[in-house]
Amino acid sequence: MAAQGGVSFQEKVGRLLSRRDGKPVLKPSRTLALRDEVANRKVKKGEATCVTEMSVLMACWKQNNFVDSLCSTEMNSFYSCVEKAQAALKNKSDEISSQAGRLPPKQATTLLKRYPNLCSEI
């Protein structure tokens, strides 16, 4: 049953695209060629890190009238958390850039502009 539906669908598409029945029904609204640029989308931001350490530090500051010397342990824990998060982010970005996968939009646009589409046939 599924094979029959697939065949009839292919026949309908073939009829819509064939020139023997007159003009094709499916007409592209634009030329069927790739553009020389990619939409510049922003990279999604990750989730917030070290929020608990920051809130503990701020609570300590509030209790001690914003004296840094009394909250040194909280400050050290917050800064160590930030360093770990930055290192993890750098490792993640290095893995993404070294993988064979998607290019960032800016890099893809520079490559497409370096090697543009041919406008005329050879």
Side-chain angles (χ1 to χ4, degrees):
M1 186 84 178
Q4 278 183 324
V7 171
S8 64
F9 178 74
Q10 292 292 337
E11 289 174 1
K12 287 180 183 178
V13 170
R15 268 188 268 123
L16 290 174
L17 293 174
S18 70
R19 292 193 181 266
R20 67 177 173 195
D21 295 332
K23 291 184 177 180
V25 177
L26 298 175
K27 295 179 189 175
S29 59
R30 300 179 188 168
T31 59
L32 297 177
L34 294 175
R35 292 176 33 195
D36 292 334
E37 59 186 21
V38 177
N40 194 7
R41 294 191 176 124
K42 292 183 180 178
V43 180
K44 293 181 181 178
K45 293 185 178 181
E47 58 187 51
T49 56
C50 305
V51 175
T52 55
E53 287 83 357
M54 188 183 344
S55 62
V56 168
L57 175 62
M58 289 183 180
C60 179
W61 276 341
K62 190 171 183 180
Q63 288 176 352
N64 295 315
N65 292 328
F66 302 98
V67 177
D68 286 341
S69 60
L70 298 175
C71 300
S72 62
T73 57
E74 288 84 357
M75 287 177 66
N76 290 335
S77 67
F78 174 69
Y79 286 134
S80 65
C81 178
V82 168
E83 287 175 4
K84 289 178 187 175
Q86 286 177 345
L89 183 64
K90 185 176 180 183
N91 289 339
K92 186 178 178 183
S93 67
D94 288 343
E95 289 175 7
I96 290 173
S97 65
S98 66
Q99 283 181 343
R102 291 188 173 197
L103 292 173
K106 193 171 188 179
Q107 190 176 6
T109 300
T110 56
L111 286 173
L112 285 171
K113 288 191 179 201
R114 189 178 300 164
Y115 305 106
N117 285 325
L118 297 175
C119 296
S120 60
E121 293 185 26
I122 298 173

